[in-house]
Amino acid sequence: MRTLKFLLRKEFLQIFRNKLILRMIFALPVIQLILLPYAATYEMKNITLSVVDHDHSEYSRKLINKFTSSGYFILTDYSATYNQALDQVENDKADLIVEIPKGFEPDLSRQNETIIFLAANAISGQTAGLAVAYANTIIKDFNNDVRTEWIPQSQLNTIPVIEITNSNWFNPLMNYKDFIVPGVLALLVTLVGFILSSLNIVKEKEIGTIEQINVSPIKKYQFILSKLIPFWILGLVVMTIGFVISFIVYGIYPEGSFWVIYLFAGIYLIALLGFGLLTSIYADTQQQAMFIAYFFMLVFILLGGLFSPTENMPDWARYLTYINPVSYLIEVMRMLVLKGSSFWDLRFHFLVIIGFTIVFNGLAIFNYKKTV
Amino acid sequence: MLITEKEIVIKTDKLTKKFGDFVAASEITFEVFKGEIFGFLGANGAGKTTAMKMLIGISNPSSGNAQVAGYDIYKQTEQIKKSIGYMSQKFSLYEDLTIKENIQLFGGIYGLSDKEIKSKSEELITKLGLNTEADKLVASLPLGWKQKLAFSIAIFHQPKIVFLDEPTGGVDPITRRQFWDMIYEASHNGITIFVTTHYMDEAEYCDRVSIMVDGVIKALDSPENLKKQFNAKSMDEVFLMLARGAKRGE
């Protein structure tokens, strides 16, 4: 116990003396939480629109108006032909082409149907998909307007119409920030727990001080604990700062219990610290450790559902997310912050993360040797 | 310094370390007596550090036996670690801690009480003349001072044996002389000194020296006897005679 006290004092002295790391620990949550949610948004505004209007009728003008007044589209170009509009797409001046055929108005009024041609720049599938979806909604809306204009009120009621309405649970305004902020919080905890801890141990290897530790009577568990405890505390401190910032900047206050959040994050941090320790055992230099850590962080984040929902992934990728500890924290954070889930709702997540804790730390302790 | 009652503190028997096909240390057998300064000589790559690492319990031998401070190097490494001090080739105090903090840390690790740490660290700082620097970071000290401090910390807990791995590498001649004065003092206080070096003038300061060539101990005796045996004027000549046949080295 006494040895551990001395070792912990050393670690804290070193951490608080390293001004750069200390500043990073505070700057990281502030910058990530303020920048990321604004930058990484799924909402599309300012989709550039090129219109090819062969009809030049009142109705075609009405339709175009509907596009421009929706707030999602900016009309950047009026082309005479489809090929001209395509040039605009090629020059990156337009994301979506709407081609209104000749005879749009007469066809609509006489034959009761007409065809509008939509073409989207699908370099980014996501932009294209959203642009087409918005356009569909606008055209459907336009269609309804036309129908109400023509069909007398009395007749309208006799046509059975199934209308679909949505209500968005847990994030009623479909606010993307509410979705991304808990994920960023999970990311912060991971960064501190995994990268800082692994670099710290490798640093001792690199400068040779670990040899001095290894020839001393310090027990394996004392050394490991002296490395884990400070970063465990730091991880939770960073998370706390993160919660304060998300409340001040976004007004996000967890629906669920803070006890459950901290309990889960606390266990999660032990798992990730074990993984960091494992990394540091196999890396001899900070450069190697940084590279390993970077590799895993990237995979963890991309397969963790921070930006893209794991449900959208192909099966093989979804199976990978099951062995990705970060995806559990992201999910739990969202469930706790947005949905207000209880401990009992998260029992499965708790079990899995405890499993990770045992496996990572078991491997780390088993592989850590005081010999060279 | 002559030892009358020869208490053995290190005893090795055909200690061997192999890395694959490479035999870094081959069947090393020797004894070190209490309170003596035992010089462990050899060119670069002769296997000195490998042999030392086995003795201090951070490298497992491939075969052979050894006892350090009366403890078996296979089964009782933790007891060995309590009884020895070690100063490595690489400077290994914490540069981002102050002199005082380093002393306190290592004092604490070796189980000294707070009172002991306090009184002994003040004594040590005064002895080293570092009173004004005590609260400065170790990183700010010149190399010679760092080495003296590292040695003082290695013997701070009064170990039975202290292992010094090329402690004076890169240090100026005056500091080296002072360093050896500190080694004599420690030896006077009953601490056995096990020191590797390739400075032959330092070999003359040792009570006994062993000379290792290509992983094998080629000679072991007091500097006087070795000089007589090889009919040489200095340890330098003795060493050159033995090491000339070496195949390894840089």
Side-chain angles (χ1 to χ4, degrees):
Chain A
M1 247 356 251
R2 233 175 84 82
T3 309
L4 187 59
K5 187 191 91 182
F6 278 100
L7 287 173
L8 281 175
R9 204 175 66 145
K10 155 192 169 281
E11 292 300 330
F12 279 111
L13 277 171
Q14 288 179 307
I15 290 169
F16 284 106
R17 210 156 270 167
N18 193 335
K19 292 283 180 286
L20 185 72
I21 294 277
L22 206 61
R23 258 183 245 140
M24 282 293 287
I25 285 169
F26 289 93
L28 209 68
V30 178
I31 294 171
Q32 289 217 347
L33 274 170
I34 291 175
L35 288 186
L36 268 185
Y38 278 106
T41 172
Y42 275 158
E43 246 182 312
M44 294 267 318
K45 278 178 183 154
N46 310 332
I47 304 169
T48 46
L49 178 72
S50 173
V51 171
V52 187
D53 186 356
H54 296 298
D55 199 44
H56 298 289
S57 60
E58 196 198 326
Y59 275 122
S60 71
R61 222 167 302 124
K62 261 192 187 162
L63 178 61
I64 294 162
N65 265 337
K66 218 153 173 86
F67 267 94
T68 50
S69 60
S70 68
Y72 295 111
F73 295 94
I74 298 175
L75 186 63
T76 50
D77 171 61
Y78 254 117
S79 291
T81 67
Y82 176 70
N83 280 339
Q84 270 178 30
L86 213 51
D87 283 341
Q88 295 293 316
V89 173
E90 276 171 13
N91 292 328
D92 262 340
K93 297 230 169 72
D95 297 320
L96 184 75
I97 304 171
V98 177
E99 192 180 18
I100 301 169
K102 200 164 173 53
F104 174 70
E105 193 180 277
D107 283 355
L108 202 59
S109 49
R110 266 179 246 133
Q111 291 168 20
N112 232 343
E113 70 172 39
T114 183
I115 291 165
I116 294 172
F117 182 67
L118 294 176
N121 177 3
I123 281 188
S124 157
Q126 202 148 31
T127 314
L130 273 169
V132 171
Y134 289 153
N136 273 330
T137 318
I138 290 167
I139 294 165
K140 193 180 133 209
D141 223 32
F142 174 77
N143 203 12
N144 277 342
D145 289 352
V146 174
R147 281 162 61 97
T148 19
E149 210 178 295
W150 290 348
I151 304 165
Q153 203 65 37
S154 53
Q155 251 182 295
L156 190 70
N157 289 342
T158 62
I159 302 168
V161 179
I162 298 172
E163 203 176 332
I164 300 162
T165 57
N166 307 313
S167 87
N168 301 308
W169 279 76
F170 311 123
N171 188 357
L173 300 173
M174 285 290 274
N175 189 342
Y176 190 69
K177 288 176 198 80
D178 287 357
F179 173 75
I180 203 92
V181 165
V184 174
L185 283 171
L187 190 66
L188 285 170
V189 174
T190 311
L191 267 175
V192 174
F194 176 37
I195 297 193
L196 284 186
S197 67
S198 69
L199 283 183
N200 184 287
I201 299 165
V202 176
K203 187 185 163 201
E204 295 229 10
K205 263 193 192 177
E206 209 172 59
I207 59 178
T209 45
I210 201 149
E211 209 174 76
Q212 203 67 47
I213 296 291
N214 285 343
V215 297
S216 77
I218 295 173
K219 299 264 189 309
K220 199 156 106 170
Y221 80 89
Q222 292 169 330
F223 180 70
I224 291 176
L225 279 179
S226 80
K227 291 293 180 191
L228 299 193
I229 291 170
F231 291 102
W232 187 80
I233 294 172
L234 272 183
L236 292 181
V237 167
V238 167
M239 189 175 82
T240 309
I241 298 172
F243 272 118
V244 172
I245 292 167
S246 26
F247 179 70
I248 293 173
V249 179
Y250 304 106
I252 294 174
Y253 186 85
E255 296 283 330
S257 143
F258 267 117
W259 288 109
V260 181
I261 293 176
Y262 277 87
L263 182 65
F264 191 87
I267 300 173
Y268 171 85
L269 267 169
I270 301 174
L272 261 270
L273 287 164
F275 194 64
L277 185 66
L278 199 59
T279 308
S280 70
I281 288 168
Y282 290 104
D284 291 318
T285 62
Q286 292 185 75
Q287 199 177 28
Q288 288 173 352
M290 198 63 222
F291 195 70
I292 299 173
Y294 180 76
F295 170 80
F296 278 106
M297 272 311 279
L298 209 62
V299 175
F300 281 167
I301 292 169
L302 292 179
L303 287 180
L306 177 60
F307 298 114
S308 46
T310 52
E311 289 83 355
N312 291 0
M313 294 177 183
D315 279 346
W316 61 267
R318 226 162 20 124
Y319 293 136
L320 283 179
T321 66
Y322 294 150
I323 52 164
N324 175 2
V326 180
S327 69
Y328 289 92
L329 183 66
I330 292 177
E331 205 176 310
V332 165
M333 278 287 195
R334 286 191 180 137
M335 286 170 84
L336 281 166
V337 172
L338 300 180
K339 206 168 161 188
S341 299
S342 69
F343 177 77
W344 187 244
D345 297 326
L346 299 168
R347 60 194 184 278
F348 169 71
H349 295 82
F350 268 98
L351 276 180
V352 172
I353 211 69
I354 289 170
F356 276 119
T357 308
I358 293 168
V359 170
F360 288 154
N361 286 282
L363 281 174
I365 292 168
F366 181 74
N367 284 298
Y368 177 81
K369 287 188 178 69
K370 277 183 78 179
T371 52
V372 284
Chain B
M1 180 175 155
L2 262 168
I3 293 104
T4 39
E5 91 281 9
K6 291 191 172 179
E7 187 190 328
I8 295 167
V9 288
I10 302 175
K11 183 182 166 65
T12 72
D13 181 25
K14 294 185 175 171
L15 200 59
T16 302
K17 178 80 185 184
K18 290 180 188 162
F19 296 104
D21 289 338
F22 179 76
V23 187
S26 174
E27 302 200 343
I28 295 172
T29 305
F30 64 85
E31 286 168 351
V32 178
F33 307 113
K34 187 174 189 291
E36 80 172 330
I37 301 174
F38 188 84
F40 206 57
L41 274 52
N44 290 329
K48 291 172 303 201
T49 302
T50 306
M52 188 184 260
K53 282 188 172 161
M54 287 190 279
L55 296 178
I56 60 177
I58 57 171
S59 173
N60 290 321
S62 306
S63 63
N65 287 306
Q67 283 178 346
V68 174
Y71 299 111
D72 183 74
I73 61 162
Y74 290 97
K75 294 181 201 123
Q76 296 171 300
T77 50
E78 291 308 312
Q79 281 99 320
I80 290 176
K81 284 171 183 175
K82 277 182 200 152
S83 326
I84 62 167
Y86 171 62
M87 178 180 166
S88 80
Q89 235 167 22
K90 243 178 169 180
F91 177 72
S92 52
L93 295 181
Y94 289 96
E95 302 230 353
D96 50 356
L97 295 182
T98 66
I99 294 169
K100 227 183 215 167
E101 286 161 357
N102 266 296
I103 298 173
Q104 285 164 351
L105 171 66
F106 286 101
I109 286 172
Y110 285 96
L112 272 64
S113 72
D114 288 339
K115 233 170 98 187
E116 274 177 291
I117 293 174
K118 196 169 182 291
S119 66
K120 282 190 73 182
S121 62
E122 272 165 21
E123 194 184 308
L124 174 62
I125 288 166
T126 314
K127 203 178 95 189
L128 289 172
L130 289 170
N131 287 311
T132 49
E133 275 92 6
D135 290 317
K136 281 190 189 156
L137 296 187
V138 165
S140 68
L141 284 179
L143 182 68
W145 282 109
K146 281 183 187 170
Q147 298 298 81
K148 283 192 223 168
L149 182 64
F151 177 71
S152 307
I153 287 177
I155 58 167
F156 192 71
H157 60 287
Q158 285 289 327
K160 286 200 179 114
I161 311 156
V162 64
F163 289 86
L164 310 172
D165 193 4
E166 290 179 19
T168 54
V171 169
D172 69 73
I174 299 165
T175 313
R176 255 172 67 197
R177 185 64 241 189
Q178 290 169 342
F179 194 89
W180 274 91
D181 287 340
M182 291 173 77
I183 291 180
Y184 278 128
E185 197 195 318
S187 151
H188 249 290
N189 294 335
I191 298 175
T192 308
I193 316 280
F194 186 101
V195 55
T196 75
T197 181
H198 43 224
Y199 292 116
M200 287 309 133
D201 58 330
E202 289 185 352
E204 310 263 3
Y205 304 148
C206 298
D207 294 320
R208 287 193 309 143
V209 296
S210 79
I211 298 176
M212 224 176 152
V213 180
D214 288 352
V216 181
I217 292 183
K218 285 274 166 138
L220 199 169
D221 213 328
S222 68
E224 280 72 47
N225 290 345
L226 283 177
K227 278 184 269 186
K228 257 181 236 155
Q229 187 189 333
F230 288 91
N231 200 12
K233 282 195 249 4
S234 65
M235 278 307 292
D236 213 32
E237 277 181 44
V238 176
F239 183 75
L240 284 175
M241 258 183 253
L242 287 167
R244 199 161 279 152
K247 289 176 186 70
R248 289 188 212 156
E250 286 171 323

